[in-house]
Amino acid sequence: MGFKILCSDLDGTLLSTKSDVSDFTITEVSRIKDHIRVILVSARMPQSMTYLQERLGILNQPLICYNGALVLDQKKEIFSEVIAIKAVQRLYELSEEHKIKLGLYFNREWYVEETTERVQKEIRNTNNHPVYQPTTSTLDNWSKRGVSAHKIMLMCTKSSADIIFPKLEKELQDFMHIYRSNDTLIEVAPKTVSKLSAIKSILRNNESLDDIIAFGDNYNDMEMLKHCGMGVAVENARVEVKEIADQTTLKNTEDGVAHFIKQYLI
């Protein structure tokens, strides 16, 4: 398979645990990285990805963060798109009505109001720590600085997520992508971006989408898998993802991406 670029999602795909890649994955990426560019593509913030780049020996490659809302090439910002601050403020109002706490992300900044089990889980999984302050303070600060969110995480109960999700779709879908990561988490990103749009921004003159093999497991990976040269789903992927993928490999916990690399990428 003559691909020039390998793009991979992290959580549930390339990571064999909640926070790390396996030695086998490191070995296989090391074997191909001199002739195939390996690009990490995730909903994570930058510093929750760079330690994985370092582990894989690919710090020289671009980084696609926040589902494509922020693209970095080492310290250089290639692309950045945020959610309109007024839409973020309205989302906060709706969340307050249902006692839903927010995680607010801009570039390398992460803000929450208080520590919770979900926040502690995020800290463990991403090797990063938030700033604790009222959401109103964060939004006031962002307004003064002229910035806004690259990503918002709504930390819900299943019932509150069931209630607020259709409300968000009805009122704010023109401003943001809204999707449920699981029964209790809703993630929000700028409307105009996706993992695929970000991938297009890092293509060189001699590269096209046909030159890319992409790996993923979740809804936010589907466009990437469908439009790249080859889309590969891990076995633990959602059914809808596997249905549109060209190939399926082993589960992430069984090093599915690494096994596929070893078998097909010479």
Side-chain angles (χ1 to χ4, degrees):
M1 294 184 179
F3 295 107
K4 297 178 181 179
I5 306 173
L6 185 155
C7 292
S8 183
D9 170 58
L10 291 176
D11 296 279
T13 303
L14 191 67
L15 302 188
S16 53
T17 67
K18 292 292 185 180
S19 62
D20 207 357
V21 288
S22 69
D23 291 341
F24 179 37
T25 298
I26 292 171
T27 297
E28 285 305 307
V29 169
S30 295
R31 186 176 61 81
I32 67 168
K33 67 181 182 179
D34 289 338
H35 62 278
I36 298 177
R37 295 208 290 153
V38 179
I39 312 292
L40 304 184
V41 186
S42 176
R44 290 186 174 210
M45 64 192 305
Q47 59 267 49
S48 296
M49 299 174 69
T50 49
Y51 78 93
L52 294 164
Q53 273 193 312
E54 185 173 8
R55 289 267 289 148
L56 293 164
I58 54 171
L59 281 169
N60 61 319
Q61 295 297 340
L63 199 61
I64 295 175
C65 317
Y66 298 127
N67 288 319
L70 180 66
V71 183
L72 302 173
D73 190 351
Q74 297 176 72
K75 293 184 178 181
K76 180 182 177 183
E77 188 176 286
I78 296 176
F79 176 83
S80 175
E81 181 71 29
V82 297
I83 305 165
I85 192 68
K86 289 185 177 179
V88 177
Q89 290 166 339
R90 179 56 183 151
L91 182 146
Y92 169 62
E93 292 170 1
L94 291 170
S95 298
E96 279 290 282
E97 291 176 13
H98 301 286
K99 297 181 173 57
I100 294 169
K101 295 299 182 182
L102 303 181
L104 297 168
Y105 300 80
F106 167 71
N107 207 312
R108 291 175 170 83
E109 303 171 15
W110 172 25
Y111 301 95
V112 296
E113 289 196 330
E114 61 189 25
T115 189
T116 63
E117 182 179 345
R118 176 65 231 181
V119 170
Q120 289 301 314
K121 182 178 180 181
E122 187 83 356
I123 291 170
R124 291 193 301 272
N125 292 348
T126 65
N127 290 340
N128 192 37
H129 289 79
V131 173
Y132 297 97
Q133 67 181 29
T135 296
T136 51
S137 298
T138 301
L139 297 182
D140 287 345
N141 175 263
W142 280 358
S143 294
K144 290 174 183 175
R145 292 163 57 196
V147 302
S148 188
H150 280 118
K151 184 180 86 166
I152 304 170
M153 182 181 291
L154 286 75
M155 295 170 279
C156 317
T157 62
K158 183 180 183 306
S159 59
S160 64
D162 289 342
I163 293 168
I164 199 171
F165 189 80
K167 291 183 178 181
L168 295 175
E169 285 196 313
K170 181 179 179 180
E171 188 170 339
L172 295 172
Q173 64 176 351
D174 289 342
F175 302 94
M176 54 187 73
H177 282 299
I178 307 158
Y179 68 96
R180 290 181 76 159
S181 305
N182 56 42
D183 284 345
T184 62
L185 281 182
I186 299 173
E187 292 193 42
V188 177
K191 183 69 173 180
T192 57
V193 303
S194 67
K195 290 186 175 183
L196 183 65
S197 69
I199 289 169
K200 290 177 181 178
S201 75
I202 56 93
L203 291 176
R204 296 171 178 170
N205 290 335
N206 65 337
E207 297 170 342
S208 72
L209 292 178
D210 289 337
D211 295 318
I212 300 174
I213 181 170
F215 295 83
D217 74 306
N218 215 333
Y219 297 129
N220 57 338
D221 298 315
M222 290 178 69
E223 187 183 36
M224 172 177 74
L225 267 58
K226 187 174 182 180
H227 294 284
C228 287
M230 176 174 285
V232 183
V234 284
E235 180 57 41
N236 53 287
R238 293 184 182 273
V239 173
E240 297 92 333
V241 179
K242 290 192 282 188
E243 286 176 348
I244 60 94
D246 299 302
Q247 299 277 353
T248 300
T249 186
L250 299 173
K251 297 177 182 179
N252 70 303
T253 53
E254 298 171 347
D255 295 321
V257 175
H259 278 285
F260 197 93
I261 292 172
K262 183 175 183 178
Q263 185 172 0
Y264 295 108
L265 302 184
I266 307 302

